Each structure stands twice: as structure tokens, then as C-alpha cells.
Amino acid sequence: SLPAKLAALVGLVALSRLGVFARLPGVDADAFAASLASGGLLGYIDTLSGGSISRVGVFSLGIVPYINASIVLQLMSTAFPSLKKLQREEGSAGRERFQFYQKGLALAFAIVQAYGQLSYVRPFVADWSPAWVAESVLDLTTGAMILIWIADRIGDMKIGNGTSILITASIASSLPTSIGAALQQAGAEGGGGPASLATYAAFFMVTTLGVVYVQEAERQIPINYASRYRARSASLAKSAYLPFKVNATGVMPVIFASTLLALPAGAAVA
């Protein structure tokens, strides 16, 4: 039933947030979070993960490795017809095999991104050693794979895309902190008071409406037929249209690009 599915959904989302607060041992998470307060690329990725990176949680990688694997395989499908055939022409068995490849690639991405993230926190680790690195990479990779499992279970319930729901939950979890910081800043001396808070709220609403407008926008491509006969009215039917999403890829390319941009910096730190 729908109430049971919603209860299961809430439980799975809550489980995905619990791992954010399970910190890796041996890291001065407070000092690392302070270093991210200035913003930057890693701060943006931290927002997408719901603050799990700044907390140095076990679920710090989020669902990003799975998204990266999905995008890479989609790109590879255009170059390798066998992958495209596996995904589209071999039925459920082919799709399951494609999903297996995707999760295997996600595992590889998780390992690489885990080491990259640990390279960022190296100045805040009291005892940096190969054993600690191996253990922490295992922890972060396991956390990423658990999130993939949670996304699959949400998808199996047929009430939404599991990956999108986890990303939305992660971003929404940082809203109370952002709103609290805005209220504190507006109430501080020189903060502008209610006027600046109203301006902030107006810009937030306009930005949200703009994102929704672009995301839901469609371009109708006309489909022309030689002739279409409507039996009841004995007249030609109206032209049909093929809906084409203006922003079909959504936010996935942004997340993928953020990860790619973070890799050289992580290698430099290492």
C-alpha cells in the first residue's frame, strides 16, 4: 500500500542521513569544516552531499560515484554498439547486466574518489599512515555502495527515482542551517534586518521558479503524417507533437564536472 511505501521511503532516507554523522576516526572534522566555510568547489560538492564531506562522514561520497558511472557508461554506449544493444535490445536480462557493469564502475569511482577526499583531509589527520588510508578508503567505499543499494530499493518501490530522491534529501538537509545563518546575519548589526531577509527570500523564490521552469520546459517537435483520418468526425486529425525536454540531462553533468575538476586538485594534494 502507499502508506507502507511512504513509511519505507522515510526509513531509507533516514538511514542514508545517519551515515553522514558517523565520522571517520582520526580526523579533526571541526577544523576541516572551518576550512570549507570559505566556499570553493569542494564546498559546492559538500552542499550536494548534505554536509557529509565537512563532517567527514562514512557517507561522504554520497551517490556521486554512481552518477559518474552512469554518465560514463552512457557516453561509452555511443562509442561501443555492444553496450547500447545490451541496454536497449536484450530485454530485462540485458538491462540487469548493464546495471551490473554500472555498479562495478561505480565501485571503481568510489575507491578513487575516496582516496581523493582523504588527500584533502590529510592536513587534519593526526596519524596519517597506509593502514589508516586503507581502512578509511574501505569505509568510504562501503558507504557509497550502501547508498547505491538504498537508491535501488527506493526505485523498486516505484514512487520515484532513488538517485534523485537521495540527492534532494541531501540538499534539503542543509536548508535549515542555511536559513538559520541567513536569519542570524540579518539580525546582526549592519546585516540589513528584515529588508535584507526579504530580499534574500525573494531571490530564493525567483531562482527556484526559474529552475523549475527550465527543468519542466519542453519543445514540441511536430510530427507530420501523409494522412490521418479521424473516424468519428471524418476529418484530418490535428498534427502530433514529440515532446523534447529542454534540460533533459538535469543536474547530472554539473555533478560529473565537479568531480572531474576535484580530481586534479586531489592528486596535487596527494
Side-chain angles (χ1 to χ4, degrees):
S1 63
L2 182 59
K5 288 184 177 181
L6 291 177
L9 174 63
V10 172
L12 289 172
V13 172
L15 177 61
S16 71
R17 299 306 304 162
L18 282 177
V20 173
F21 300 94
R23 294 183 173 182
L24 292 178
V27 183
D28 189 350
D30 296 331
F32 179 63
S35 69
L36 295 181
S38 58
L41 178 61
L42 195 60
Y44 167 73
I45 301 176
D46 183 46
T47 302
L48 292 177
S49 64
S52 59
I53 294 179
S54 59
R55 294 187 180 95
V56 199
V58 175
F59 287 178
S60 293
L61 297 181
I63 201 71
V64 176
Y66 185 71
I67 296 172
N68 292 338
S70 176
I71 296 175
V72 168
L73 278 183
Q74 292 297 332
L75 293 175
M76 291 177 62
S77 297
T78 62
F80 299 97
S82 58
L83 278 177
K84 189 174 183 179
K85 181 180 178 181
L86 184 68
Q87 184 183 15
R88 300 183 180 181
E89 300 180 11
E90 296 189 8
S92 59
R95 288 190 294 271
E96 289 179 2
R97 190 175 177 186
F98 188 87
Q99 285 289 325
F100 177 78
Y101 292 155
Q102 185 171 327
K103 290 175 182 177
L105 186 58
L107 176 61
F109 266 112
I111 294 173
V112 173
Q113 290 176 225
Y115 182 76
Q117 182 174 329
L118 294 177
S119 300
Y120 271 104
V121 302
R122 183 171 185 173
F124 307 95
V125 178
D127 184 20
W128 179 274
S129 64
W132 181 86
V133 171
E135 180 182 352
S136 299
V137 167
L138 179 61
D139 291 340
L140 293 175
T141 303
T142 302
M145 301 311 292
I146 291 175
L147 287 177
I148 294 174
W149 178 83
I150 292 176
D152 284 345
R153 300 291 72 77
I154 294 176
D156 292 341
M157 290 188 288
K158 307 296 183 183
I159 56 176
N161 183 276
T163 302
S164 299
I165 290 176
L166 290 184
I167 294 175
T168 302
S170 297
I171 297 176
S173 66
S174 62
L175 283 179
T177 302
S178 301
I179 294 174
L183 292 174
Q184 184 178 4
Q185 184 177 1
E189 184 177 356
S196 64
L197 189 61
T199 303
Y200 173 81
F203 274 104
F204 177 81
M205 291 299 298
V206 170
T207 302
T208 302
L209 289 174
V211 171
V212 173
Y213 178 79
V214 173
Q215 179 64 28
E216 297 299 323
E218 290 182 351
R219 189 170 187 87
Q220 293 184 340
I221 302 175
I223 302 176
N224 297 321
Y225 295 90
S227 63
R228 294 187 63 189
Y229 184 78
R230 190 184 304 174
R232 292 184 179 179
S233 61
S235 62
L236 291 177
K238 294 182 179 180
S239 299
Y241 291 92
L242 175 67
F244 185 80
K245 298 285 289 186
V246 174
N247 185 28
T249 57
V251 76
M252 301 307 178
V254 179
I255 299 175
F256 185 61
S258 301
T259 305
L260 289 182
L261 288 175
L263 289 178
V269 173

